Amino acid sequence: SGQKVPVISASEDTLIHNIKRVVDAHPRVRTIYLTDDDFCIVYRSVEIFCKKIIDEKNNGTLPKNLTFMAFCRASDASVEMFQWMKKAGFRRLNIGIESFSDKVLKEMNKRCTAEENHTCLKIAKETGMGAYGNLIVTTPESTLEDVEETVEVAFKYTLDPAYQWGVILGVKPLKGTEYYETYSDFQ
């Protein structure tokens, strides 16, 4: 949009209400995947949600063995957040690492650095939070050195079972983004 747009999220109570509806409709459900790119953007909201989930599990209105997965930006990660999520039953975070090249991250307007990616992965391992990293191997301005940097670093992480990876060979711009306008729908 070319301007700052506020993040509008469902309240913690609304999320829990919907989770209860899912559990009521599907009593054998064991994992709920919160596919909101901005789920972890506000630490306080994540903490409140996790505390409420813990309370619901303790009072028997949600199954104790119910687990969760969610998206997380590397720049939003903190030890405290991941600890609360682990206590609430989160078992995996899908982290949009995308690249370990600062140049490529800047090109994609990721608003995070390679160092923040490393820090997030370290926190995930230390807290026992499963980490699934997404990688985008090439972008319109990637050099062979950028690709090598990302692949080599990601490969080192693959040697540790704490990390799992998904690879997208090339950027697939979303409609309405600057990437889409520049590279997919350029007139």
Side-chain angles (χ1 to χ4, degrees):
S1 70
Q3 57 189 345
K4 277 197 163 203
V5 178
V7 174
I8 300 172
S9 301
S11 72
E12 299 83 13
D13 289 330
T14 298
L15 285 175
I16 289 172
H17 170 78
N18 289 333
I19 289 167
K20 286 180 177 178
R21 288 182 59 207
V22 169
V23 170
D24 287 344
H26 304 281
R28 296 183 313 172
V29 68
R30 292 297 167 254
T31 299
I32 293 181
Y33 188 8
L34 303 166
T35 57
D36 174 358
D37 288 348
D38 295 318
F39 181 77
C40 292
I41 200 167
V42 178
Y43 167 78
R44 183 73 180 127
S45 179
V46 174
E47 179 186 9
I48 291 167
F49 174 79
C50 290
K51 286 179 178 180
K52 289 181 180 238
I53 287 292
I54 292 166
D55 288 345
E56 296 290 340
K57 287 181 175 186
N58 287 337
N59 70 27
T61 55
L62 284 177
K64 286 207 181 273
N65 64 346
L66 184 64
T67 64
F68 300 92
M69 298 186 331
F71 286 112
C72 182
R73 290 180 62 83
S75 57
D76 294 332
S78 74
V79 171
E80 296 80 17
M81 179 188 293
F82 285 14
Q83 287 172 336
W84 276 113
M85 294 174 88
K86 187 72 176 168
K87 288 178 195 172
F90 281 79
R91 65 180 179 86
R92 177 194 271 180
L93 292 177
N94 285 358
I95 304 163
I97 298 294
E98 318 308 6
S99 179
F100 288 104
S101 163
D102 281 321
K103 182 179 134 276
V104 171
L105 292 168
K106 186 174 181 178
E107 175 195 354
M108 288 190 282
N109 196 24
K110 273 298 283 184
R111 297 185 311 270
C112 73
T113 64
E115 187 58 38
E116 287 173 307
N117 285 342
H118 291 292
T119 300
C120 178
L121 293 169
K122 179 181 175 200
I123 292 169
K125 182 174 180 174
E126 288 174 353
T127 58
M129 180 64 65
Y132 179 90
N134 291 305
L135 295 174
I136 297 174
V137 179
T138 61
T139 60
E141 296 175 21
S142 291
T143 63
L144 185 55
E145 290 77 18
D146 296 321
V147 173
E148 286 175 345
E149 181 176 14
T150 291
V151 170
E152 286 173 4
V153 172
F155 181 75
K156 288 177 185 171
Y157 277 109
T158 65
L159 300 175
D160 187 330
Y163 307 107
Q164 295 177 337
W165 295 95
V167 177
I168 300 166
L169 294 178
V171 118
K172 199 159 113 184
L174 299 174
K175 194 169 190 171
T177 64
E178 185 178 330
Y179 252 47
Y180 183 85
E181 300 301 322
T182 304
Y183 298 108
S184 295
D185 196 32
F186 185 74
Q187 296 188 17

